[in-house]
Amino acid sequence: MARYDSTDISLHDVVIAFEERIFDAVVEDLQTREPTEAFAPIHVICLDTKDNPHEAKLQGRVALELCWLLEAAADDLVVEAPEIVEKFEDENMSHTQIKVLYQLCYL
């Protein structure tokens, strides 16, 4: 996914952050914007990751797996994304203390 750019965020379906503070900032930004004509959903997900090379490598793989699951459900993400994220967290994050956060925003 491209780096968060406040000028064209409505072109994206999913935003993945790797720090809770970035997740919070993206959600806050989206909630304070004026809605677009399309009023399209944007799924904001956080895979809170420690800032070191080992964790970054592990979470990169985890993020890729999650993206594949979301892409497979791209036709109905509004309905399926929350279930995918919850199931993914239950199956893949039970062995770690990494938090997975999810917020559906509209823009």
Side-chain angles (χ1 to χ4, degrees):
M1 171 150 283
R3 186 172 180 213
Y4 178 71
D5 180 356
S6 62
T7 58
D8 64 356
I9 189 68
S10 65
L11 301 175
H12 300 285
D13 296 321
V14 178
V15 175
I16 296 180
F18 290 91
E19 280 188 46
E20 188 173 352
R21 69 180 181 85
I22 302 300
F23 171 84
D24 292 340
V26 171
V27 170
E28 182 180 345
D29 179 67
L30 291 172
Q31 291 176 338
T32 59
R33 288 176 182 242
E34 289 294 319
T36 61
E37 241 179 70
F39 199 63
I42 300 176
H43 306 269
V44 186
I45 301 168
C46 179
L47 301 173
D48 199 28
T49 305
K50 290 182 183 178
D51 192 10
N52 66 54
H54 176 71
E55 290 296 319
K57 184 177 179 180
L58 291 175
Q59 285 304 97
R61 288 185 190 138
V62 168
L64 184 57
E65 289 177 31
L66 178 57
C67 287
W68 286 333
L69 292 171
L70 293 168
E71 185 175 31
D75 292 336
D76 200 8
L77 271 180
V78 172
V79 172
E80 294 186 36
E83 296 168 6
I84 290 170
V85 171
E86 183 178 342
K87 183 178 178 185
F88 185 81
E89 183 176 16
D90 291 344
E91 292 176 358
N92 296 290
M93 299 300 177
S94 60
H95 62 284
T96 181
Q97 294 181 351
I98 294 171
K99 291 189 288 187
V100 178
L101 304 173
Y102 172 80
Q103 178 71 45
L104 177 60
C105 299
Y106 286 87
L107 187 62

